[in-house]
Amino acid sequence: MAYRAEPPDGGWGWMVVLSAFFQSALVFGVLRSFGVFFVEFVAAFEEPAARVSWIASIGIAVQQFGSPVGSALSTKFGPRPVVMTGGILAALGMLLASFATSLTHLYLSIGLLSGSGWALTFTPTLACLSRYFSRRRSLATGLALTGVGLSSFAFAPLFQWLLNHYAWRGALLLVSALSLHLVACGALLRPLSLAEDPVVGGPGAQITSLLRHSPFLRYTVALTLINTGYFIPYVHLVAHLRDLGWDPLPAAFLLSVAAISDLVGRVASGWLGDAVPGPVARLLMLWTTLTGVILALYPVAEAPTGLVALTVAYGFTSGALTPVAFSVLPELVGTGKIYCGLGLVQMVESIGGLLGAPLSGYLRDVTGNYTASFVVAGTFLLAGSGILITLPHFFCFSAPTSKPQDHVTEALDTKVPLPEEGLGED
Amino acid sequence: MCSLTKHFTLAVLHLEHSNMTVEKNITLERPSNVELTCQFTTSGDLNSVNVTWKKGDTLLEDNYLVNATGSILYTQYRVAVIDSKQMGSYSCFFGEKKQQKGTFNLKVPEINGKNKPLITYVGDSVVLMCKCQDCLPLNWTWYSVNGSVQVPIGVPVNDKYVISGKHANETSLKITQLSEDDQGTYWCHAIFELGESEGHVELVVLSYLVPLKAFGAIVAEVVLLVTIILLFEMYTQKKKKPSDDGKEFEQGEELQGLENETRVKQVAIILMGQSNIC
């Protein structure tokens, strides 16, 4: 087998982008649109909404905490078999859910089984994508991640249509068939052998060396902080607007506007990340700082025009930081250790994501409005971006040294966590 | 006769001198005394304005008063609503040509069924519900539709249909062992002293084959996609293979060389790396 010295930066890589696009859609688009089913579950099982929403929470938690497993398996067997197995598990979970007779049944089938399937698909795919690109890595990642935003637009009405025509059991059956396309996406992930692969060793060795790599650890901490503040507007914006006297329909519409500017931000930032020389970490710091500042400005804006402008800006900057976040990791740990690195980062930063929303809600309950929540979220983001300054080569103006030979030397001491899509996914 | 004096409903309509028709809906559940008042404001001579009351199309002769204060003309109609015969539309008319009209619609409370059809599967059970906002009907009855005729349900008491209601303002019909014959529209009637009100729920019963066929089609499509992708890859690999055989041997040697080179470079870069910052 030939080991390539450089990632191909194109060619079959674009098929991997396509695969990653559909995978983001099928994993996070489905998760985000699942709220449509919850109304049906509340009626069908006669359980309160809080208990039903645990289904999604368990699914997300399993997906994030299971990421290292997916990564380790991909390092050993290559991404293709792992992702295809993940697709089968995800579809199987939905299939079993269509026979559910109780809420616990759904926790296990959708939450645990489908969640495990998702854990085996998403992280390995993005890591594989990072291996296929170096010069155009940010753009490729940005394009792939647009799948999340676009699918949320498409899946919510689609799921509602399915529910209207097949009731929730039939609809779950068809969502299962839809999720099976993850297997087809996995088939597209042709294994790629890069020069540094034999040097970095198996998954166990990689994880150990990653955990001793100081920049990797700092990066993980930065991402966790960023993740804590990142979700707050998505979760609380509508409620904040309602507090200010907005009607539900314009508030929901504003959220859609934010989603569109998020999409634009992702692609623009992806392109920018590749076009600007120097470490990508600087761009990440730029976007993170901007997002933090915007969040801190939210309580100050009272007029509708100010809020709309802030929301559009927030959408753009928060979308912009996602592809760049993924691109920093290969520069820090090298493409050889990317699977394990990505998995570890996803797992740790998910703690931030899990804590962020309840913390914000708690602050709101204690203070009576969302001012404290937004300011704290902004602070977390700024703190995270502050830590990014400490990453190696931050102040260099030369091109980033992501050549395989250099990574081979660094391979034993640095594993940089990539800002996981966890940042962007709710 | 005592119950009549308990409930006294007042309703007032204001009419200006314009050719608009003003309407008001009054919801009545129980027998009560109803007082309908129309106020007419005009700048002209009030005494020359002709006032009449009608119920539906029937002219009402008595039970109404006419009063003028300043530039406002009042007229009041009283009716004791005892049963459904007194329900309907009452209108007050002002002027010879009856240009100004105010209408009071006396109705029983509306029942809400469900606007969207309920989808169920063969063998399932389903609960159909009807309810109204703030009402206390005397009785609820359910009907299924056979052709264009409403057939009462629950007359022969069996396990298939169970009619119950947790509160007085709602009713539920539970149907078990659904089959495709149970498909159709179901009507719920609420019986009040002053009349009947109805709502409807549409039930659709599907067989499991319906989504299963769609499922099978999509799974077949995925299998096809995967096969095409893998076959395409094998095909492109095969095209490379004949020319690769010669190269592989060289690559093996090259690889060894590359690894050695890499190790040398490793040492070199470690040494270099410690001296530069950038």
Side-chain angles (χ1 to χ4, degrees):
Chain A
M1 205 174 13
Y3 286 91
R4 299 186 68 114
E6 289 272 340
D9 246 316
W12 191 255
W14 295 115
M15 293 304 278
V16 179
V17 172
L18 191 71
S19 164
F21 177 86
F22 282 114
Q23 285 200 41
S24 332
L26 287 171
V27 174
F28 291 105
V30 168
L31 266 176
R32 280 192 186 180
S33 310
F34 224 68
V36 185
F37 276 92
F38 286 169
V39 180
E40 301 289 321
F41 290 152
V42 168
F45 295 106
E46 287 171 353
E47 295 268 8
R51 297 202 64 197
V52 171
S53 63
W54 271 101
I55 300 174
S57 305
I58 294 177
I60 296 172
V62 173
Q63 186 264 321
Q64 290 183 321
F65 282 106
S67 292
V69 176
S71 310
L73 288 173
S74 304
T75 318
K76 201 148 186 237
F77 300 112
R80 177 183 274 167
V82 178
V83 175
M84 288 177 82
T85 314
I88 294 178
L89 283 180
L92 194 64
M94 292 283 173
L95 179 68
L96 290 177
S98 70
F99 296 109
T101 49
S102 73
L103 209 55
T104 320
H105 193 141
L106 286 176
Y107 290 157
L108 293 175
S109 56
I110 298 180
L112 200 60
L113 198 55
S114 289
S116 319
W118 293 326
L120 292 179
T121 56
F122 189 71
T123 310
T125 308
L126 277 195
C128 182
L129 187 64
S130 294
R131 285 164 60 93
Y132 264 89
F133 287 89
S134 78
R135 278 188 309 111
R136 296 203 216 134
R137 188 177 287 143
S138 297
L139 180 64
T141 316
L143 284 174
L145 293 178
T146 54
V148 182
L150 287 174
S151 65
S152 310
F153 281 125
F155 282 168
L158 175 68
F159 286 2
Q160 191 58 57
W161 184 89
L162 285 177
L163 283 170
N164 289 346
H165 281 81
Y166 294 101
W168 64 268
R169 287 188 196 273
L172 275 177
L173 201 64
L174 293 175
V175 172
S176 159
L178 190 69
S179 298
L180 204 60
H181 284 88
L182 285 169
V183 180
C185 289
L188 282 171
L189 301 179
R190 272 195 206 167
L192 189 68
S193 314
L194 295 176
E196 55 220 25
D197 289 345
V199 185
V200 295
Q206 286 188 30
I207 292 180
T208 332
S209 68
L210 276 173
L211 290 175
R212 281 186 285 165
H213 190 216
S214 171
F216 175 77
L217 295 172
R218 278 179 264 147
Y219 191 62
T220 313
V221 171
L223 279 184
T224 311
L225 288 172
I226 294 173
N227 222 21
T228 315
Y230 178 90
F231 288 114
I232 305 305
Y234 277 112
V235 177
H236 291 300
L237 182 65
V238 177
H240 177 61
L241 290 173
R242 300 280 294 273
D243 274 356
L244 290 175
W246 282 52
D247 283 325
L249 202 59
F253 179 67
L254 192 58
L255 212 58
S256 305
V257 169
I260 294 175
S261 81
D262 173 286
L263 274 179
V264 174
R266 285 181 196 225
V267 182
S269 158
W271 174 83
L272 197 67
D274 296 321
V276 170
V280 190
R282 292 191 292 209
L283 282 176
L284 178 62
M285 197 214 136
L286 170 73
W287 299 123
T288 318
T289 314
L290 282 177
T291 315
V293 168
I294 290 173
L295 281 185
L297 284 177
Y298 254 106
V300 178
E302 293 270 337
T305 33
L307 283 169
V308 171
L310 271 185
T311 310
V312 171
Y314 165 77
F316 187 86
T317 53
S318 63
L321 63 85
T322 46
V324 185
F326 282 108
S327 298
V328 178
L329 196 55
E331 284 180 11
L332 282 176
V333 297
T335 47
K337 292 192 208 165
I338 220 154
Y339 288 113
C340 288
L342 207 58
L344 281 175
V345 170
Q346 287 245 314
M347 181 179 94
V348 177
E349 68 171 15
S350 68
I351 298 173
L354 284 172
L355 287 179
L359 176 67
S360 160
Y362 169 73
L363 284 172
R364 198 248 173 212
D365 288 339
V366 166
T367 61
N369 60 23
Y370 284 102
T371 308
S373 311
F374 278 106
V375 171
V376 167
T379 317
F380 271 114
L381 279 161
L382 290 171
S385 72
I387 295 186
L388 286 174
I389 301 183
T390 67
L391 288 178
H393 308 302
F394 191 83
F395 293 105
C396 287
F397 285 98
S398 56
T401 52
S402 54
K403 296 208 184 92
Q405 288 92 328
D406 298 331
H407 288 300
V408 162
T409 41
E410 291 183 15
L412 295 170
D413 38 312
T414 7
K415 281 202 181 204
V416 179
L418 277 179
E420 285 306 330
E421 184 49 15
L423 263 186
E425 301 331 310
D426 193 3
Chain B
M1 293 310 277
C2 291
S3 60
L4 276 178
T5 55
K6 266 194 214 166
H7 307 279
F8 200 68
T9 310
L10 287 163
V12 182
L13 275 179
H14 300 268
L15 288 95
E16 306 284 307
H17 189 72
S18 57
N19 276 329
M20 276 195 336
T21 304
V22 185
E23 235 178 286
K24 196 170 187 134
N25 292 326
I26 302 169
T27 308
L28 286 176
E29 259 186 72
R30 264 169 252 107
S32 48
N33 288 314
V34 180
E35 196 178 276
L36 307 167
T37 310
C38 292
Q39 281 180 358
F40 183 55
T41 315
T42 184
S43 49
D45 180 19
L46 289 177
N47 287 321
S48 64
V49 178
N50 198 354
V51 180
T52 45
W53 280 90
K54 274 193 184 175
K55 178 182 186 299
D57 290 323
T58 324
L59 200 62
L60 298 167
E61 299 293 324
D62 54 353
N63 266 12
Y64 67 90
L65 311 161
V66 182
N67 200 350
T69 313
S71 61
I72 308 177
L73 189 63
Y74 292 91
T75 179
Q76 203 177 72
Y77 183 80
R78 285 197 184 161
V79 58
V81 182
I82 307 172
D83 57 31
S84 56
K85 287 200 280 282
Q86 286 92 36
M87 304 291 277
S89 294
Y90 292 82
S91 308
C92 59
F93 293 89
F94 292 95
E96 277 299 329
K97 299 171 214 155
K98 309 202 179 347
Q99 312 104 300
Q100 306 306 320
K101 177 183 175 188
T103 309
F104 297 91
N105 296 312
L106 268 61
K107 291 189 204 167
V108 281
E110 270 183 15
I111 308 293
N112 297 317
K114 207 160 182 206
N115 292 329
K116 283 194 306 185
L118 271 178
I119 316 275
T120 51
Y121 289 94
V122 173
D124 271 353
S125 31
V126 68
V127 175
L128 308 174
M129 280 203 11
C130 280
K131 66 172 164 196
C132 53
Q133 286 293 83
D134 314 287
C135 68
L136 296 162
L138 296 172
N139 204 0
W140 290 94
T141 48
W142 281 93
Y143 295 83
S144 66
V145 176
N146 188 358
S148 54
V149 176
Q150 287 195 7
V151 176
I153 299 180
V155 173
V157 179
N158 53 13
D159 286 333
K160 189 166 164 80
Y161 300 104
V162 176
I163 301 179
S164 60
K166 266 187 283 188
H167 311 284
N169 70 335
E170 66 183 28
T171 183
S172 68
L173 172 68
K174 182 170 181 177
I175 314 178
T176 52
Q177 301 290 337
L178 282 167
S179 71
E180 274 164 340
D181 299 324
D182 293 320
Q183 194 163 267
T185 316
Y186 287 80
W187 294 85
C188 53
H189 284 231
I191 302 170
F192 301 94
E193 282 180 65
L194 301 177
E196 252 183 49
S197 183
E198 57 185 26
H200 64 99
V201 181
E202 199 188 326
L203 186 69
V204 174
V205 183
L206 298 172
S207 123
Y208 269 111
L209 287 178
V210 175
L212 217 59
K213 273 193 247 181
F215 178 78
I218 299 178
V219 171
E221 175 235 329
V222 174
V223 171
L224 189 67
L225 266 179
V226 175
T227 318
I228 291 176
I229 293 172
L230 293 176
L231 281 178
F232 176 73
E233 185 165 328
M234 284 205 298
Y235 175 69
T236 48
Q237 297 274 18
K238 272 194 190 153
K239 275 176 79 178
K240 278 196 209 162
K241 267 229 161 129
S243 48
D244 268 356
D245 281 338
K247 279 191 190 167
E248 265 179 37
F249 188 62
E250 292 161 37
Q251 278 175 355
E253 288 182 347
E254 244 184 80
L255 202 56
Q256 272 288 16
L258 184 64
E259 277 182 32
N260 291 338
E261 208 185 311
T262 314
R263 284 199 201 105
V264 170
K265 277 196 181 162
Q266 275 182 21
V267 177
I269 292 169
I270 287 174
L271 292 174
M272 275 165 55
Q274 283 172 353
S275 54
N276 316 359
I277 299 174
C278 277

